[in-house]
Amino acid sequence: MVHSDLAAATTPVATRKRVFSGIQPSGDSHIGNYLGAIRNWVDQQAQYDNVFCIVNLHALTLPTIPEQLLANSISMTNVLLAAGIDPERSILFLQSDVREHSELCWLLGSVCTFGELSRMTQFKDKSSGKGEESISSALFYYPVLQAADILLYDTNLVPVGDDQKQHIELARDIAQRFNHRYDGGLVVPQPDIKEAGARIMALDDPARKMSKSVGGPNSCIFLVDDADTIWKKVKRAVTDSGSVVEATPEKPALANLLTIYSLFSGEPIDEIVQRYEGKGYGAFKGDLAEVVVTALAPIQARLTELNANPDIARGVLRNGAERARETAVQTMERVRSRMGLVLA
Ligand code: AQP
């Protein structure tokens, strides 16, 4: 199904599944965030009952500057609005505005083991090369907060990129263990990971995922990059040896660029490959840059408007937090009562 077909599909309100997903306000978002997650959130809005969260508490796992964190929270909200999240149809809120996230995180820590957290590959990736004294314990513990985020909203589906699969599996294990120990109470969520775009790789290293906080400036195309910058980054993107444009396991760099081309243009990869037969990497890269620039232009135009009016984002977040709290409060009452934390 292509981008617009998904948006056209609607599901009656009463039978809608609940979707929850979050994004860290940890810097400019890139096309990996967009193609792996945000675009799917936008496309599926009519099908589901959606809750989207700017997870600023997760951003605290790495060192932050307060003013910058606040500014990033507003600009990430604007990115989601510019990409097409409709606050009338979807709840969009700031994690720290709903205190129940932190409380549930603590309670769920009692049904999650040290061993489970030690096996999380994101923790290993983000802490590798750093001394133990400089890694926050929050970085180790944040999958429990992520489980709390999800379980607080009786979530059925969690649309994420492939890098989050292990964390969603942990959230499922935590919910199942809680239900076993306390005789039910939590909905067990499912990950929703699309095959295409689930893992967009860094432009300078096709073995590593594109990431906001890891890698140099040429590894990512940011959603705010101008046409000239996108051109330069695509031209500099590493390619595999040879000159045939094809998506094979021996050509991971080309496969990544073809995926980006296909997702932004809506054209299947085999058709793109056929069109560039005998033309070489140069022609392909020039057109790829053009495709990305064209696809991002309307998002960037809306983003400029929204960034000029930060009160719009503040209003959306305030209203979203009120709506989110309605469900969060109910879940916490249920959880506290089942755990024996409420006096009769
Ligand atoms: N390279 C990627 N390809 C596909 N999906 C991706 N996502 C992240 N990188 C890729 C998905 O984007 C959503 C929001 O992610 P996040 O910003 O909350 O945190 P992250 O997964 O840790 O992403 P980054 O860019 O690597 O951020 P930093 O560097 O700040 O940690 C998620 O659904 C994620 O799967």
Side-chain angles (χ1 to χ4, degrees):
M1 207 182 257
V2 296
H3 206 45
S4 51
D5 293 340
L6 274 168
T10 52
T11 309
V13 177
T15 57
R16 277 184 199 170
K17 288 185 173 169
R18 167 69 52 80
V19 152
F20 176 94
S21 207
I23 188 157
Q24 295 193 54
S26 48
D28 284 333
S29 39
H30 49 74
I31 59 170
N33 299 132
Y34 180 71
L35 296 174
I38 300 171
R39 193 181 77 116
N40 299 326
W41 304 353
V42 171
D43 280 344
Q44 299 183 151
Q45 280 182 109
Q47 266 170 286
Y48 300 124
D49 183 11
N50 310 282
V51 184
F52 299 120
C53 185
I54 308 294
V55 288
N56 56 349
L57 300 179
H58 288 274
L60 296 175
T61 53
L62 298 177
T64 49
I65 298 165
E67 296 75 24
Q68 207 167 7
L69 180 59
L70 265 179
N72 284 347
S73 300
I74 295 294
S75 58
M76 186 56 79
T77 305
N78 286 339
V79 164
L80 298 189
L81 295 173
I85 295 297
D86 174 1
E88 297 290 320
R89 287 199 287 187
S90 301
I91 295 177
L92 175 56
F93 73 105
L94 192 59
Q95 189 183 26
S96 57
D97 280 343
V98 180
R99 307 286 155 85
E100 283 75 8
H101 288 253
S102 310
E103 185 184 357
L104 186 57
C105 171
W106 179 253
L107 300 185
L108 294 181
S110 66
V111 290
C112 176
T113 67
F114 178 82
E116 283 175 313
L117 292 180
S118 307
R119 289 190 285 277
M120 294 295 116
T121 53
Q122 273 230 346
F123 173 72
K124 290 182 196 163
D125 291 347
K126 289 194 174 178
S127 59
S128 90
K130 294 182 183 155
E132 278 188 5
E133 297 308 315
S134 66
I135 303 163
S136 76
S137 52
L139 184 64
F140 183 71
Y141 206 68
Y142 101 87
V144 185
L145 179 59
Q146 191 171 354
D149 301 339
I150 296 165
L151 300 178
L152 204 47
Y153 297 97
D154 298 334
T155 301
N156 305 109
L157 283 177
V158 191
V160 282
D162 184 57
D163 60 325
Q164 294 297 330
K165 192 170 174 206
Q166 196 187 26
H167 289 168
I168 312 305
E169 273 160 13
L170 179 69
R172 284 171 58 80
D173 290 345
I174 288 176
Q176 279 160 346
R177 202 168 301 140
F178 180 97
N179 288 344
H180 183 68
R181 198 173 290 179
Y182 298 109
D183 199 19
L186 295 176
V187 174
V188 180
Q190 294 276 357
D192 173 21
I193 301 170
K194 309 286 178 224
E195 210 181 306
R199 188 172 281 257
I200 300 295
M201 309 311 277
L203 296 184
D204 57 353
D205 179 3
R208 191 172 51 72
K209 79 156 190 150
M210 193 176 278
S211 167
K212 293 189 222 90
S213 56
V214 183
N218 289 324
S219 66
C220 286
I221 295 178
F222 295 108
L223 297 186
V224 293
D225 280 345
D226 61 25
D228 197 39
T229 309
I230 294 173
W231 261 88
K232 284 188 186 135
K233 287 183 178 178
V234 172
K235 287 278 173 198
R236 276 187 204 141
V238 298
T239 42
D240 309 284
S241 54
S243 61
V244 181
V245 176
E246 57 186 351
T248 57
E250 298 75 41
K251 291 198 168 182
L254 258 296
N256 188 42
L257 297 181
L258 278 161
T259 299
I260 295 170
Y261 193 127
S262 168
L263 288 172
F264 273 124
S265 66
E267 198 180 353
I269 288 186
D270 4 334
E271 285 176 23
I272 304 169
V273 166
Q274 266 178 25
R275 209 143 34 79
Y276 288 96
E277 214 178 299
K279 292 191 182 156
Y281 294 160
F284 167 69
K285 280 178 151 187
D287 291 351
L288 170 61
E290 212 45 61
V291 162
V292 178
V293 169
T294 307
L296 294 185
I299 299 177
Q300 292 181 344
R302 286 193 291 272
L303 195 53
T304 306
E305 283 172 29
L306 289 159
N307 284 339
N309 295 290
D311 280 345
I312 296 176
R314 289 192 191 101
V316 166
L317 293 176
R318 269 191 212 109
N319 180 267
E322 264 174 45
R323 291 157 68 200
R325 222 174 279 127
E326 285 169 19
T327 309
V329 165
Q330 284 176 18
T331 307
M332 281 317 298
E333 278 174 9
R334 203 166 65 232
V335 166
R336 281 191 213 108
S337 151
R338 281 176 194 257
M339 293 183 87
L341 300 171
V342 182
L343 287 178

